Amino acid sequence: PSFIRTSPRTNSRSRRFPSVEQRVQIYMSDWYLPRCQKPDGQKLLLFGYKRDLGVHRVKNPSGQPPKIYDFSLTDIPVDTAFSLDYDSILNCSKNHTHNTMKKYCIDVINTLFPVLGMLGWNVTSVAHGNGQAPFLLQFGDSDRSAKHGKLPLPVIKKFRTSMTREQINIVTGGDCYDPSKSATIFHGIIWKLGSGRHYGAVPDI
């Protein structure tokens, strides 16, 4: 019998393809770079947060009045953006009526909370304390929020519409990101969610 000899796997993450930096660019896409500023110094998109209302305020580039998005939810539904809240995620991981949603919440506890902690966030008050703006997530396979539509905000998801290498280069190259140079903007930020469903059989390979 004949055998195909393959190169051994490199021990260093930095020597693998794609590199760590390339993967971060792919995962974050439109949100990898800060937004550019207009010649007069004004940002193309302005984001704000009023904690007493529990909403995000977005001022669009055309100067129209800010649009208000309410991300507060009593339960975590599928395909709807929501503001990350420690107690809600913990309760969801134990008591949500939908087993798939429980698994999403367990993934957040096991993978996202530790990263936020390393970045200095207080995960037990991530939605309410220390002046922190809401951290948005969405569970499910939709590219838009059922409650809010296509959001011009960074939302953590397991899914987003595909992008070509050229599109990735446009939104991740340079010092800042000008949305006018890209026809496709406001993709979600990819995170490993639904891991049991999508990667559960990997150890069996």
Side-chain angles (χ1 to χ4, degrees):
S2 60
F3 298 91
I4 299 176
R5 185 178 297 277
T6 59
S7 300
R9 182 181 180 184
T10 59
N11 293 325
S12 171
R13 289 171 62 93
S14 64
R15 297 176 64 96
R16 300 178 197 163
F17 181 82
S19 68
V20 173
E21 188 66 22
Q22 287 172 318
R23 275 178 276 179
V24 172
Q25 292 174 350
I26 292 170
Y27 299 158
M28 295 193 67
S29 61
D30 307 291
W31 306 103
Y32 179 76
L33 296 173
R35 291 315 199 246
C36 298
Q37 293 186 339
K38 294 181 179 179
D40 59 4
Q42 294 183 0
K43 294 182 179 179
L44 292 173
L45 292 172
L46 298 178
F47 301 91
Y49 170 58
K50 295 184 72 66
R51 194 173 73 178
D52 56 333
L53 296 178
V55 302
H56 252 78
R57 242 177 226 280
V58 181
K59 182 178 181 181
N60 60 38
S62 64
Q64 296 176 357
K67 184 171 183 178
I68 297 176
Y69 297 97
D70 185 358
F71 295 106
S72 58
L73 298 169
T74 55
D75 195 9
I76 300 177
V78 68
D79 294 332
T80 299
F82 65 95
S83 177
L84 177 63
D85 175 80
Y86 179 84
D87 292 333
S88 296
I89 291 292
L90 195 63
N91 181 63
C92 163
S93 69
K94 299 176 180 178
N95 303 313
H96 202 289
T97 55
H98 198 300
N99 193 48
T100 299
M101 299 298 283
K102 278 186 181 180
K103 293 178 180 178
Y104 275 117
C105 293
I106 291 171
D107 280 338
V108 170
I109 291 171
N110 291 339
T111 67
L112 189 55
F113 279 165
V115 172
L116 293 178
M118 287 188 288
L119 293 175
W121 287 55
N122 181 355
V123 296
T124 59
S125 61
V126 67
H128 306 296
N130 303 325
Q132 295 171 160
F135 194 97
L136 304 180
L137 288 89
Q138 180 173 315
F139 298 158
D141 299 324
S142 177
D143 67 341
R144 63 190 63 235
S145 171
K147 180 179 178 180
H148 313 95
K150 191 73 171 177
L151 282 167
L153 293 165
V155 182
I156 297 286
K157 305 178 181 179
K158 72 165 185 181
F159 160 87
R160 70 142 194 263
T161 51
S162 62
M163 298 178 72
T164 65
R165 181 71 257 183
E166 181 182 10
Q167 289 172 321
I168 291 290
N169 290 339
I170 289 174
V171 298
T172 60
D175 297 324
C176 63
Y177 167 45
D178 183 351
S180 65
K181 293 182 179 179
S182 176
T184 55
I185 61 173
F186 305 139
H187 293 84
I189 298 174
I190 298 175
W191 195 262
K192 187 178 179 181
L193 297 170
S195 59
R197 173 185 173 190
H198 299 290
Y199 308 101
V202 170
D204 299 330
I205 298 176

